[in-house]
Amino acid sequence: TTGEANLFISHAHSCSWLKMVRAVDAFIELYGLDPSKTFLWIDIFCLRQASQLEEVGFIPQIEAQIKHVLLVLDPWDAPVCLTRAWCLFEIIQVICNVGEPADQRSSHGQLGRDRLVEGL
């Protein structure tokens, strides 16, 4: 099945691909999304890696169109994505450009959020 992306995935490339996939699966299951109607936008597949500096300017428009961003925190107690400029840029663009409050859902529930805040 193909369709227009409706979930932007923000993750650090240096982290586990399997953990990223599991986080997406957990998010889809937890929030009752239909996997057959959930289409992911993952930068490594959607941006020309040789032209990242040229294409970084498209991130605000892409996120604004998709409107749903899943930030994969790996490892949860010291997320690498929060130390990477590219991921921070994606996060800032969501906050500044999507126009609606970020949907602060978590695939780990309240306990996971509390432990994440403590870990930061």
Side-chain angles (χ1 to χ4, degrees), residues 28-113:
I28 289 170
E29 182 177 339
L30 185 63
Y31 294 102
L33 303 177
D34 182 347
S36 70
K37 294 180 181 175
T38 303
F39 301 99
L40 310 178
W41 192 97
I42 302 173
D43 61 356
I44 200 165
F45 297 119
C46 300
L47 290 179
R48 294 173 297 169
Q49 298 299 302
S51 302
Q52 282 187 353
L53 290 178
E54 294 172 19
E55 297 197 0
V56 71
F58 295 116
I59 295 295
Q61 295 95 331
I62 293 166
E63 288 182 346
Q65 183 174 344
I66 294 173
K67 294 187 181 173
H68 297 93
V69 177
L70 174 59
L71 176 62
V72 178
L73 303 176
D74 180 25
W76 70 267
D77 57 347
V80 173
C81 62
L82 298 180
T83 68
R84 306 290 302 150
W86 185 273
C87 294
L88 293 173
F89 177 76
E90 292 173 346
I91 294 166
I92 290 167
Q93 295 311 305
V94 169
I95 293 167
C96 294
N97 296 318
V98 171
E100 299 174 10
D103 187 353
Q104 298 178 11
R105 298 178 181 181
S106 168
S107 59
H108 298 291
Q110 186 61 45
L111 177 60
R113 283 192 296 275

